[in-house]
Amino acid sequence: FGRMYQARYLTGIVAGKSTKSNVIGFVAPYQLPEVARAINAFTLGAQSVNPNVKVKVVWTNTWYDPAKEKQASLSLIDAGADVIAQHQNTPAAQQAAEERGVFGIGYNTDMSKMAPKASLTAAIWNWGPYYVNVVESVKNGTWKTGSYWGGLKEGVVNVAPYGPAVQEDTKKLVEEAKMQAQKEADNIIANARIQIEKEKETALSDIRNEVLQVSLSIAEKVLEKELENKKAHTQYVEKLLDNMSMSQS
């Protein structure tokens, strides 16, 4: 999967700088961890540039229902929202924003063609770079199974081109936040590798100790067995000598 929360944070900055009412609406499908993460990241981004912002959420309980999505968007606008964001699979929420003369933040793809006046930007997916890497690794025989969670650094997530209403200072803030996110991702990866090496060394040390303990235990048992055998042999010889002595007398 991808780190969409990174792009959500960036679009939140755009929303936070664009709202006048300090109320932003978010049309969401289901109460799932990925959706909650999206809303949280978006809200944190908005509040990073505008602490007075409040994000109101309406749940549609569907991934795809243009009518419900539009109605949810309209209810948020009626509640004072002047920017509408979404985690839905259609541009209905953006079209509602266009109709009501407020701004919109799309999702999945650039939705500006559906709402050219409302569109500020969108949190978008781009799986192209990942697919190219997979195909190339299959071709050269280096492909391996495993989990994937790419983000801004890998180009899997990003923000769509800005609409005309987005100010230059807002774009600058987004670019600064994007660079910071990529830097933090690098630090996280570097620290993770260090931690993995430490844990690997600790695990190897533990294994060595366990092997040593097992070896010592085995050696002790072997020694005990040898002593028992020698004792039994000695007793056998002594008994044999006693019998021989008795027979001679």
Side-chain angles (χ1 to χ4, degrees), residues 108-213:
N108 278 331
T109 62
D110 181 4
M111 295 180 169
S112 59
K113 290 183 180 180
M114 309 297 180
K117 294 180 182 179
S119 179
L120 294 172
T121 185
I124 61 174
W125 293 99
N126 178 19
W127 286 103
Y130 174 75
Y131 294 149
V132 170
N133 288 336
V134 170
V135 171
E136 289 297 326
S137 64
V138 170
K139 286 171 62 178
N140 60 36
T142 60
W143 182 80
K144 296 179 180 179
T145 59
S147 59
Y148 181 81
W149 203 29
L152 290 168
K153 180 179 175 61
E154 295 78 14
V156 175
V157 302
N158 209 334
V159 293
Y162 300 109
V166 180
Q167 302 297 312
E168 289 301 319
D169 65 325
T170 300
K171 296 177 185 179
K172 184 178 179 180
L173 289 171
V174 171
E175 290 306 310
E176 289 174 353
K178 184 185 293 187
M179 291 179 63
Q180 183 63 28
Q182 292 173 336
K183 182 179 179 181
E184 289 176 355
D186 287 339
N187 291 337
I188 289 171
I189 292 172
N191 291 335
R193 286 173 177 166
I194 292 172
Q195 185 63 29
I196 288 171
E197 289 303 317
K198 287 182 178 178
E199 291 177 358
K200 189 186 296 183
E201 183 57 36
T202 300
L204 287 173
S205 178
D206 291 342
I207 291 171
R208 291 190 194 102
N209 290 333
E210 288 178 8
V211 170
L212 179 60
Q213 292 298 322

Side-chain angles (χ1 to χ4, degrees), residues 27-30 60-70 86-92 95 108 111:
V27 182
Y30 297 99
T60 61
N61 294 313
T62 179
W63 293 110
Y64 185 97
D65 190 325
K68 279 188 176 181
E69 295 164 36
K70 183 174 183 179
Q86 66 178 77
H87 195 111
Q88 302 287 166
N89 291 336
T90 84
Q95 292 170 326
N108 278 331
M111 295 180 169

Side-chain angles (χ1 to χ4, degrees), residues 8-148:
R8 292 291 194 181
Y9 185 91
L10 300 180
T11 58
I13 292 175
V14 177
K17 290 289 289 183
S18 302
T19 181
K20 296 295 188 295
S21 67
N22 288 335
V23 178
I24 299 173
F26 200 109
V27 182
Y30 297 99
Q31 297 185 38
L32 300 173
E34 170 63 16
V35 180
R37 180 163 54 225
I39 297 169
N40 290 341
F42 178 82
T43 303
L44 289 171
Q47 292 178 343
S48 72
V49 295
N50 186 349
N52 296 319
V53 160
K54 291 183 179 180
V55 176
K56 294 185 176 182
V57 180
V58 170
W59 302 96
T60 61
N61 294 313
T62 179
W63 293 110
Y64 185 97
D65 190 325
K68 279 188 176 181
E69 295 164 36
K70 183 174 183 179
Q71 186 56 46
S73 182
L74 292 174
S75 69
L76 287 165
I77 295 170
D78 289 339
D82 60 357
V83 179
I84 299 296
Q86 66 178 77
H87 195 111
Q88 302 287 166
N89 291 336
T90 84
Q94 304 305 298
Q95 292 170 326
E98 179 93 355
E99 290 178 11
R100 288 291 189 90
V102 300
F103 292 127
I105 301 280
Y107 174 57
N108 278 331
T109 62
D110 181 4
M111 295 180 169
S112 59
K113 290 183 180 180
M114 309 297 180
K117 294 180 182 179
S119 179
L120 294 172
T121 185
I124 61 174
W125 293 99
N126 178 19
W127 286 103
Y130 174 75
Y131 294 149
V132 170
N133 288 336
V134 170
V135 171
E136 289 297 326
S137 64
V138 170
K139 286 171 62 178
N140 60 36
T142 60
W143 182 80
K144 296 179 180 179
T145 59
S147 59
Y148 181 81

